[in-house]
Amino acid sequence: MDTEGTYDARGTGADRVPRPAGPPHGAPPPPAYAPRPGPPTPGAPGVEEWLRTPRPVREPGVWRYGHVPRPPEKPEGVSDRSLVVGVLISVLCGLLLWSLWRNGYIPYRLVPLKLFTPGDWWYAGTFGGPRTIEGADALTVYEAVLFGLLVYGCGRLGNWSEIFRRHVAGRGQPFLALATAAGGALAELLVWKDAVPLVRPVLILVASVAGGEIYQSQAVVNVIYTLIALGVLWPFARLGRWGALLAARRGKASAAAPETPAGPPDTPTPDRWPELREAGRTDAAEALTAAVRAGRMNDVDVARLRHAWSVGRGNPERLAALEEAVLRAGGAAALHPSGARDLPRRTALHDLLTGQVRIGGCADDPHNPYARRGSGVALEPALLGTSLLAVGPPGAGKSARLVRPVVESLALQALAGRAAVLAVGGAGGDLGPDDAFDVVVRIGDPSSAHDFDLYGGTTDPDEAAGVLAEGLVGDVTHLDSRRAATVLAQLLGPYRAVHGHFPGVPALRELLDGDLGATDALREALAAGGHRAMLRELEARTRQRGGTGDPGPTLADRIALLDRPAFAPFFATGPEARPFSLRSLEHLPLRVRIDLPERAHAEASRLLTRLVLAQFTAVSAARTDRSLFACLVLDDATHTLTAETVRGVRRLRSVNAGVLLTLRTVDDVPEGLHTALLGAVGCCMAFSGVTTWDGKRFAEVWGKEWVETREVAQHAVFADQPFTRALHGLRKLVTGKAVTRDAVTVRRVERERWSASELAYQLPAGHAVLSLTTVDGEHAPPLLVELNG
């Protein structure tokens, strides 16, 4: 297949690829991308806009595409009722003080003014008023200054600014402009009616500075009056933002400021492929820019080419081949081996630049941190690399709202050359359509194009025996899987030495049952071929057969589950076999789905699921090239996990791999593995409907946090004075309650983030609690997620 050298990997030949999905070598380049009739997801933007959308770096699990941080939390303010009462009290107090001032009931009110003015302006005595015109003018200005201070003090006392922000500015435009315009009109009326001392003091001050003869010109007087009117309106215009409103009405207002500051005009935007331009590949960058703007590329093409560029950055020959392919095929360069450029259908929101898939939104709940409420929740390889365990009853939404979006996201990333996905579920499950996968293995279905390799593609008898033993008897608590692996190795090694391949299911069952004809035939073939070491292995197995604690009968019973007529065409190992091996996931970005016959062969399906998990952990740990993220998705991991596979899951985060496991209840795992399993996975998810037993385990995993509690105690009030006792008796007669006072105690206590009862009884339908950990060790607290959000 023609991959322009982008996806060629060391040690991968034609026999490692499940099927030739790509175009043959020498075929003409595929046609340009034709946009589908509708966007891949509802409301999806164009590729150019998608590339330019900011993606700020946030906490783990935040949907970064177009994320806007929530405004800082405001402290609990005064109630509206208290605000209104405060405004009324401050206004009444101000009117009372001003009335007392104007009527001369405030003593020594003119003393400060007389200290700074000539004495011949005033009559003698403390209460003496102005004697001259100058004294009257000074008193007018003095009263204007005191009136301004009185208004300012009443405004601060009554918290006028808060009620304005909450009930006027908070309602936005045009209400803000209309309200301030009404306030400005009222202020103008009060000023020109001399209810507010402003006009006369201004005229007096202007005359004292410029002289009284300035008022002989009517034009000057008109200018002064105009300035006074504009000065009265100016603060209302500032508060109402009249200028911004007028500019918006005229179409001059700019859009909302971007989250990040704009760069210089010559800075290339992401849709212009700046990384290629910096490396001197201007022609390729121009070709891709034109393809993006013409709509001939989709998000998968962009992600695939960016990944191909990053992979080949240190190899000049590889970059030259990639540039040539881009100039020849545009966005269709470096295609996935299948030749596909998108999935046939998407059911979730994806952002391939960050590798995220959105699974819901953070609920507006006190359990969630304030900054996270309302933000999107997304999963990505950095989180799945620590593995995820989801627990919830049937119908809680594990498959539709978690498994399907994650499989879809990994399939898209596989098309971009960044991941390999293996999805395992029951036949008829909703893991995606067949044409969304490169390989579909339908075990038990005669129409399946592929079989399944029980030995994981290995040629080492000991390695094959260890993995097969884990799948066959890993769940048997009284049997040591290491002894079972030894028994299998004593049979697999001799058989392979004679036949060149491992035995099929019928032959292996005969050997485990101790069939004399099969054992004698194998012994004679080993002797004739001179395989003395393997002959000793077979003889050791013959001597141990039937002894105390011999795992042979148990292995034979388990392998008999696969030796059924429905599985006759499967698990073949000869030259005519067509098995799919998990070894193909080592270097190829494959999309694989395995359908298990859960309804007709439940126990065999569980055995195969255990085998797949054991093979996946072994193959992932043995990979030499770990550039691809490999992920195994088990739609139902009931009776699948063993002590060895749990240890294997713990090791996956260091080899760029992970698993997604779903369970109906934690009790589907042996009790001795509960703690080990919850400690092995970095991400845990509890769906609505979990039991209190499961909730208790999650509560222990998520730990406790310090919270501030307020305790209010009511104490009866005993009066000593007769009048007070009479008032208390009257109040009790009217209200029917004794007079009490509140004693508030504030303490810091340590409480569970989520208790077992809250998880069992307070999770709404369609919600789940999710905790996250990245492969770098960064944590996110358990969040209440609305899966439809």
Side-chain angles (χ1 to χ4, degrees), residues 527-554:
H531 304 288
R532 296 184 178 275
M534 292 303 171
L535 184 60
R536 287 196 302 271
E537 286 284 289
L538 183 60
E539 293 297 341
R541 173 61 201 145
T542 303
R543 289 192 303 270
Q544 295 169 2
R545 183 184 303 123
T548 304
D550 180 23
T554 304

Side-chain angles (χ1 to χ4, degrees), residues 56-64 67 69 356 369 371-372 375-376 378 380 383 772 774 778-781 783:
V57 178
R58 305 299 298 174
E59 297 82 3
V62 175
W63 174 250
R64 294 169 51 190
H67 174 74
Q356 291 186 318
R372 295 296 302 269
S375 64
E380 57 184 305
L383 298 172
L772 300 170
T774 66
E778 190 175 359
H779 295 269
L783 305 170

